[in-house]
Amino acid sequence: MLIDTHTHLYLPEFDADRSDVVERVVAAGVEHLILPNIDLQSLPAMKAMAKAYPQLTSMAVGLHPTEVGEGWKDTLSEILAELDGSARYVAIGEIGMDLYWDSTYCDEQMQVLDRQLAEACKRGLPVIIHCRKALAPTLEVMEAYPSLRGVMHSFEGTPADIEAVRRRADMYFGVNGIVTFKKSTVPILLPAIGLDRVLLETDSPYLAPTPYRGKRNDSSLLPLVADCVASHLGVSTDDVAAATTASARALFSLG
């Protein structure tokens, strides 16, 4: 059995056939889904899916870095207030920094990340960190929180980057469909990460693995990611499933 530690199955891309997709997910051997939040607008749909599938899903709440702009203070306050509400959240996420398209709000992204890391440490919650073309400032913010734990979502970098992350926090590394891409550098990172630090994810509806690249992704394709990781590490898919599921359960306190 597998756990998809990062899927957005609550997004509109699945509104027409979500129940059919969930059936395929369960049939594929995926036993649990972590649903990370994006912004205030995504909260109702995420909560609705979690209510519809309470045994299958767990939620994370946070402000995604690409959603940081004018008025971010009020938005962040509303999102963090969710942690004191009736909904149960197993992590703070999806948070982090993204300077790939635009660095206009770099300083604000750092402030938002800092606030959310502080909240995670205060509450003893793990974090789900999105980091795109922003590792240096992300690590700078993380430096202040040695008790931090979580996962670097969709991680791409170098073995040195992995070491730098691990020096600062107790982190796992999310591996998704990118590992199956022909020119991906993720396979060469796997030995440096180690199976005990890999978490499987899809980031659906994005990043569908080969041979479905470019199409809508969903959590039923997670076994393709597991197979690819197993092949590159020279272990069985069962080994990958056992290790990554145990790690996900431990990190997100899934029981």
Side-chain angles (χ1 to χ4, degrees), residues 87-106:
R88 178 177 181 262
Y89 295 103
V90 298
I92 293 183
E94 175 177 359
I95 65 176
M97 295 192 66
D98 191 320
L99 304 180
Y100 184 78
W101 296 111
D102 187 0
S103 60
T104 302
Y105 291 100
C106 179

Side-chain angles (χ1 to χ4, degrees), residues 5-6 94 128-136 138-139 142 151-166 171-179 184-190 192-193 197-199 201 203 207:
T5 61
H6 197 115
E94 175 177 359
I128 300 170
I129 294 183
H130 169 114
C131 179
R132 195 175 188 197
K133 300 298 181 184
L135 185 59
T138 299
L139 292 177
M142 289 172 63
V151 54
M152 300 297 289
H153 155 60
S154 193
F155 189 78
E156 294 182 88
T158 66
D161 293 336
I162 293 167
E163 184 180 347
V165 170
R166 292 296 309 280
M171 301 299 286
Y172 292 82
F173 297 84
V175 177
N176 51 44
I178 292 175
V179 74
S184 173
T185 60
V186 175
I188 64 174
L189 294 181
L190 290 173
I193 294 173
R197 284 286 153 173
V198 169
L199 292 182
E201 58 178 40
D203 200 22
L207 303 178

Side-chain angles (χ1 to χ4, degrees), residues 3-8 33-36 64 93-94 128-130 151 153-154 200-204 219:
I3 293 178
D4 187 348
T5 61
H6 197 115
T7 177
H8 301 283
L33 310 172
I34 304 294
L35 307 176
H64 192 287
E94 175 177 359
I128 300 170
I129 294 183
H130 169 114
V151 54
H153 155 60
S154 193
L200 300 181
E201 58 178 40
T202 59
D203 200 22
S204 53
S219 301

Side-chain angles (χ1 to χ4, degrees), residues 3 90 126 149 172 199 243-255:
I3 293 178
V90 298
R149 60 194 181 91
Y172 292 82
L199 292 182
T244 57
T245 296
S247 293
R249 288 193 172 282
L251 180 63
F252 296 112
S253 300
L254 300 179

